[in-house]
Amino acid sequence: MSLLRAYGFSLLLLLSIAIGLVIGQGAPAWALRLRPLGDLFLNLVFMLIVPLTFFTVSASLGASPSGRRLTKISTVMLLVFLATSVIAAVWGLGFMYVVHPTPGADIVLGRSSVPLPPAPDFLSQLVATCTTSDFPQLVSRKSMLPLLLFAVGVGLAARSVGEPALPFVRVLQGGSAVFIRLFDAVMYVAPIGLLSFFAATVVDTGSQLASAYLRVFWVYGVVSLLYFGVGFSFYAYLAGGWESVRRLWSQMLRPSLTALGTCSSMATMPVNLEAARDMGIPKDVCDVVIPVGAVLHKDGSVIGGVLKVLFALSLFHLPLTPGRLLMVIGIAILVGVVMGAIPSGGMMGELLILSAFGFPPETLPLLAVISILIDPLATLLNATGDNVAAMLTARLVPKEQPD
């Protein structure tokens, strides 16, 4: 029953996609008639994702509390999160670049898409990706990264103003709650929307879709399990040698099974707290790193972000230039953070990819399916990675000496 609660909606989405594939193969005329329903679902998502992003990010930062050991732990924790995310992104990109750099190359989209953009130099692409020339362009799904940075700025400014900004912060919190509720309502029609979209898409692409997703699944499985075993052992060794490695793996069974069984970092958090304390990590470090990590630290999602970007780039036959490779790493890290920090962040992460690289809207459901396929293994890395992050943070923050 707990497995059904954890995976029920994902299984429903997969069932809807499977039915859509069957309809596309067996009744292509009916499949094409269903296309407007798929487009309707995408349009609803695109309409809500911009205000949802702004209100949730700015509200969460504006309302966050601020003080000495806590500040030190928080600073080191964020640096550890960033470092492991960078390593995860580079590891995922390096492995996939060697083993399978073009996971979407065999798929041919039937509908015409935007023309392939030239490969700009890294600095030009960075400026174009992170900024807009005018405010109206900021409030668009095509400018998700500039909007995210703007929301971070608004939240930090509201926090620095303090008490005079409290009414404004309450407005942000109210807006966040409203748009989360609206987005949840839209997700109720996701099974119908994805069924309709994939029914029409399989008419366009033929049988290449299923085989491409199978390759995506096994590539992610290999790269994530290697990161889980070798990468986490390496982090634990840095935190305290072989004794830390032993303590890590002696306490990792319950968190790992909980992560796989619930498919939720938040549901794994209580087990992680208990396991981290049994590993000998100081309580004040555990009590900060584990809860915050459940929201912000997502190495599995970072590796998944790399896979999604490579899938989309190969889908449109875009070359992996040095500038694009750097963008892959940066966007994948943002995708990992966004997926935890924003409700329904998986969809938001995929929109970041579309916005950064200029992919057309019909790419969104294709990337969303990857999120469903890799979800259990991604959650395993996301949740249990908080324990090694806590180990590293405890190693870098010296214990307070008694007076």
Side-chain angles (χ1 to χ4, degrees):
M1 200 65 184
S2 60
L3 283 175
L4 187 60
R5 281 196 298 268
Y7 292 100
F9 192 67
S10 294
L11 291 174
L12 178 60
L13 293 179
L14 288 175
L15 178 62
S16 301
I17 291 166
I19 293 172
L21 295 176
V22 171
I23 293 174
Q25 288 281 4
W30 274 99
L32 293 176
R33 291 192 187 103
L34 291 173
R35 193 193 297 273
L37 294 179
D39 292 340
L40 173 63
F41 171 67
L42 290 184
N43 291 343
L44 291 172
V45 170
F46 290 145
M47 284 193 301
L48 291 177
I49 204 73
V50 169
L52 174 68
T53 301
F54 172 75
F55 280 108
T56 52
V57 173
S58 55
S60 63
L61 290 173
S64 60
S66 24
R68 197 158 157 249
R69 171 133 174 115
L70 177 61
T71 300
K72 187 180 295 184
I73 292 173
S74 300
T75 302
V76 172
M77 171 194 69
L78 293 175
L79 291 175
V80 168
F81 287 174
L82 178 61
T84 59
S85 295
V86 171
I87 292 171
V90 172
W91 161 247
L93 179 60
F95 183 91
M96 294 174 203
Y97 189 83
V98 172
V99 174
H100 193 40
T102 56
D106 294 336
I107 301 174
V108 180
L109 294 178
R111 287 199 286 183
S112 60
S113 301
V114 293
L116 300 181
D121 65 88
F122 175 70
L123 188 58
S124 298
Q125 187 165 351
L126 184 65
V127 172
T129 302
C130 296
T131 61
T132 62
S133 60
D134 202 356
F135 183 80
Q137 298 173 17
L138 183 69
V139 192
S140 168
R141 66 169 176 81
K142 297 179 180 179
S143 305
M144 293 309 301
L145 185 53
L147 177 69
L148 182 63
L149 297 175
F150 177 73
V152 168
V154 169
L156 292 176
R159 178 182 173 187
S160 67
V161 169
E163 189 172 346
L166 288 179
F168 178 67
V169 171
R170 282 194 289 271
V171 170
L172 294 175
Q173 291 173 319
S176 174
V178 167
F179 284 103
I180 288 171
R181 180 66 58 86
L182 272 174
F183 199 89
D184 288 343
V186 168
M187 291 309 293
Y188 283 124
V189 302
I192 297 173
L194 290 178
L195 183 153
S196 304
F197 177 86
F198 277 90
T201 300
V202 79
V203 176
D204 297 334
T205 62
S207 61
Q208 304 100 331
L209 205 57
S211 60
Y213 282 132
L214 183 61
R215 289 194 298 272
V216 162
F217 180 76
W218 80 257
V219 168
Y220 185 84
V222 172
V223 72
S224 60
L225 290 176
L226 283 174
Y227 185 78
F228 178 71
V230 179
F232 284 6
S233 297
F234 172 69
Y235 294 147
Y237 182 81
L238 291 180
W242 292 113
E243 176 59 22
S244 288
V245 176
R246 185 195 66 77
R247 284 190 280 115
L248 172 72
W249 293 112
S250 69
Q251 301 296 330
M252 281 287 267
L253 181 60
R254 281 188 62 216
S256 300
L257 293 177
T258 304
L260 289 171
T262 64
C263 221
S264 168
S265 295
M266 295 304 296
T268 311
M269 185 179 67
V271 183
N272 268 344
L273 281 169
E274 183 180 338
R277 289 165 188 159
D278 291 341
M279 292 173 194
I281 302 170
K283 183 179 183 300
D284 59 348
V285 174
C286 294
D287 289 348
V288 174
V289 176
I290 300 298
V292 176
V295 176
L296 291 181
H297 186 224
K298 306 280 184 181
D299 287 354
S301 298
V302 169
I303 297 174
V306 170
L307 180 58
K308 291 173 191 175
V309 175
L310 291 181
F311 182 90
L313 286 173
S314 60
L315 183 66
F316 295 100
H317 306 286
L318 296 174
L320 289 173
T321 63
R324 284 203 178 105
L325 289 174
L326 289 174
M327 289 296 293
V328 168
I329 293 172
I331 295 300
I333 293 171
L334 277 173
V335 166
V337 173
V338 163
M339 288 186 74
I342 299 177
S344 303
M347 195 75 73
M348 172 63 202
E350 282 126 27
L351 279 169
L352 267 179
I353 295 172
L354 266 63
S355 173
F357 292 93
F359 298 129
E362 56 264 31
T363 315
L364 179 64
L366 299 175
L367 300 184
V369 173
I370 296 177
S371 292
I372 299 172
L373 292 175
I374 68 174
D375 194 25
L377 287 176
T379 304
L380 175 67
L381 296 185
N382 292 343
T384 59
D386 297 336
N387 292 324
V388 290
M391 275 187 161
L392 289 168
T393 302
R395 174 74 174 84
L396 296 171
V397 178
K399 294 182 179 179
E400 288 187 327
Q401 299 299 322
D403 294 332

